[in-house]
Amino acid sequence: MKLLEYEAKQLFAEEGIPVPKGTLISRHKETLLHMDTLPEKVVVKAQVDVGGRGKAGGVLMADHETVMETARRLFDTRIRGVPVDRILIEERLDIRHEYFVSITIDRAKKQPVILFAETGGVDIEETARTEGAIRSVSFSPLLSDIPGFLLRELCGNAPADIQKTVNRLYHVFCRKDALLAEINPLVTTPARVYAADAKLIIDDNSLGRQGIIVNRDLTEREREAEKHGFSFVELDGSIGVIGNGAGLTMATLDLIETYGGKAADFLDVGGGAEQERVKIAVQLVAGVPSVKVIVVNLLGGITKCDEVAKGIVAAGIHQKVIVRLAGTNEAEGRAILAPKGYLMLDTMELAVKAAVEAAQ
Ligand code: GDP
Ligand code: MN
């Protein structure tokens, strides 16, 4: 789950990383409550999960006189289509230099990897194209600190406080079970080093351990599916997909793509699903408003085709359901669906093709 800047900064600060003094508001008039403590020069920052936020107009400079009006304007703006419902007003830093640091996992090496650039900021993607502009190191995940020699290699001529901050960011990364911890820009001012921006993505598998009850990145329906133990993802096409097993479900999605269709969502019911689970699965998939047709692609093994068929019928949905059932109790399954007029096809190619046509 992605944290917003102000949330990430709070966690960074707990680990001793200096962050600018800031105030979170959810209406422009709340600015009035903080006038006494706001510095003369501030930065007004939309708390939205949008890449390139600054360039898209989500980071504005203001002073004491203009801060409320600036906040009002920002609340009225959409940043790349995303509405602004919280704003962080921060002391404006006297930035001398912007660095970039990002920590993630190198899955091939099974090690943490730290990226660092001497020229950070909003043009980091440009910088990244220059050979050698981003340095990286990786090391054993058993170490609780980045080894000193690697830090020196990574940070080059940057001040020693930068190295210290990078190591603290690594502590945050470990402690918060993060998939990504990033500061861009990590800045120097005449006074000290600051994390001027903050990004933190927590591994969804450890939300419980991190005390996060609700995964905000999931839709309501995805949360419901999670409760039932289904893998379910919403997309933006018009075909609903149900499969059993990740491989078969992904193959179904690939076929939809091949035949020029677009999936609205997909759900993997897993192994051995019985009538009730299939019913819930079909209802979840059909519940996405853009779903025009559903393709059910199930291979009976532990899963019994007659249970699946009963579940499909019990779901009682209004969309057309195209079914490919093969394997255990296939004949019994077909016997349940045939009288009800479901379109049943023998191969997944045929079923998907029919679904793509029906969705057009
Ligand atoms: P992003 O676009 O979402 O990455 O937003 P950032 O928080 O990184 O801000 C974008 C840019 O605004 C930074 O790279 C800085 O150049 C500038 N900026 C942000 N905060 C300050 C500040 O306190 N002082 C100054 N002078 N510039 C800032
Ligand atoms: Mn940034």
Side-chain angles (χ1 to χ4, degrees):
M1 186 180 96
K2 290 193 195 109
L3 299 190
L4 292 169
E5 178 190 11
Y6 77 94
E7 298 169 311
K9 277 183 167 163
Q10 204 169 328
L11 299 180
F12 288 11
E14 284 170 16
E15 209 57 57
I17 297 173
V19 300
K21 277 197 220 67
T23 311
L24 188 75
I25 59 168
S26 45
R27 296 157 176 275
H28 74 277
K29 284 197 174 147
E30 279 174 38
T31 317
L32 290 172
L33 301 172
H34 305 285
M35 276 306 184
D36 293 348
T37 51
L38 282 183
E40 172 59 27
K41 289 182 170 182
V42 294
V43 191
V44 180
K45 310 181 84 175
Q47 297 303 288
V48 287
D49 168 26
V50 169
R53 173 185 56 161
K55 284 192 169 171
V59 177
L60 303 173
M61 303 291 151
D63 56 35
H64 218 251
E65 207 168 296
T66 59
V67 60
M68 182 152 93
E69 171 57 19
T70 307
R72 191 191 61 74
R73 245 193 309 132
L74 195 51
F75 275 124
D76 284 343
T77 319
R78 279 171 177 260
I79 309 300
R80 295 201 206 284
V82 179
V84 178
D85 54 18
R86 269 162 299 178
I87 286 176
L88 182 63
I89 304 176
E90 280 187 340
E91 62 173 313
R92 196 189 312 168
L93 304 171
D94 179 10
I95 296 178
R96 290 299 149 92
H97 195 88
E98 302 193 341
Y99 298 90
F100 161 85
V101 57
S102 185
I103 304 179
T104 182
I105 290 165
D106 183 328
R107 287 172 191 274
K109 286 190 187 164
K110 300 180 182 167
Q111 289 187 334
V113 54
I114 315 214
L115 307 176
F116 185 88
E118 306 254 359
T119 49
V122 292
D123 290 320
I124 190 67
E125 274 87 9
E126 282 297 313
T127 307
R129 281 192 208 116
T130 314
E131 182 75 27
I134 296 188
R135 287 192 286 265
S136 79
V137 298
S138 56
F139 51 90
S140 164
L142 299 176
L143 298 172
S144 53
D145 288 288
I146 307 168
F149 77 98
L150 287 180
L151 262 180
R152 286 189 290 279
E153 182 186 316
L154 188 71
C155 299
N157 297 321
D161 273 356
I162 293 282
Q163 292 183 25
K164 212 184 276 174
T165 307
V166 170
N167 196 46
R168 285 180 176 157
L169 186 65
Y170 182 60
H171 293 162
V172 176
F173 180 81
C174 296
R175 225 159 270 175
K176 297 302 166 188
D177 296 318
L179 296 178
L180 178 84
E182 187 173 293
I183 305 176
N184 184 35
L186 168 59
V187 306
T188 50
T189 70
R192 66 197 299 189
V193 160
Y194 283 98
D197 193 5
K199 209 182 225 176
L200 194 62
I201 302 177
I202 312 277
D203 188 338
D204 286 351
N205 295 306
S206 61
L207 293 184
R209 182 156 77 180
Q210 292 300 332
I212 298 170
I213 296 157
V214 177
N215 183 348
R216 286 186 311 224
D217 291 354
L218 299 183
T219 66
E220 202 133 319
R221 229 173 265 108
E222 285 169 343
R223 249 175 248 148
E224 182 66 23
E226 197 177 53
K227 267 192 238 154
H228 292 285
F230 296 131
S231 308
F232 173 68
V233 176
E234 288 189 39
L235 302 165
D236 49 15
S238 55
I239 303 171
V241 175
I242 298 176
N244 61 336
L248 190 63
T249 310
M250 290 301 132
T252 312
L253 288 170
D254 285 349
L255 264 186
I256 289 177
E257 193 80 27
T258 305
Y259 291 133
K262 279 195 122 184
D265 56 9
F266 65 87
L267 184 148
D268 170 8
V269 289
E274 296 184 343
Q275 175 178 343
E276 185 60 22
R277 275 177 72 70
V278 174
K279 177 184 129 186
I280 295 166
V282 173
Q283 287 171 341
L284 274 166
V285 166
V288 173
S290 59
V291 170
K292 287 194 199 154
V293 53
I294 294 176
V295 56
V296 177
N297 184 11
L298 288 173
L299 199 62
I302 319 170
T303 310
K304 298 195 183 73
C305 293
D306 53 334
E307 286 290 328
V308 172
K310 282 185 224 157
I312 293 171
V313 174
I317 58 162
H318 70 274
Q319 291 100 328
K320 181 170 185 171
V321 183
I322 298 171
V323 187
R324 180 254 176 166
L325 284 177
T328 314
N329 295 359
E330 183 181 326
E332 289 87 337
R334 284 171 178 261
I336 292 166
L337 292 174
K340 310 251 181 223
Y342 286 92
L343 179 56
M344 282 180 285
L345 294 160
D346 291 337
T347 67
M348 60 188 272
E349 284 81 1
L350 290 174
V352 168
K353 215 180 242 173
V356 171
E357 276 161 20
Q360 271 155 8

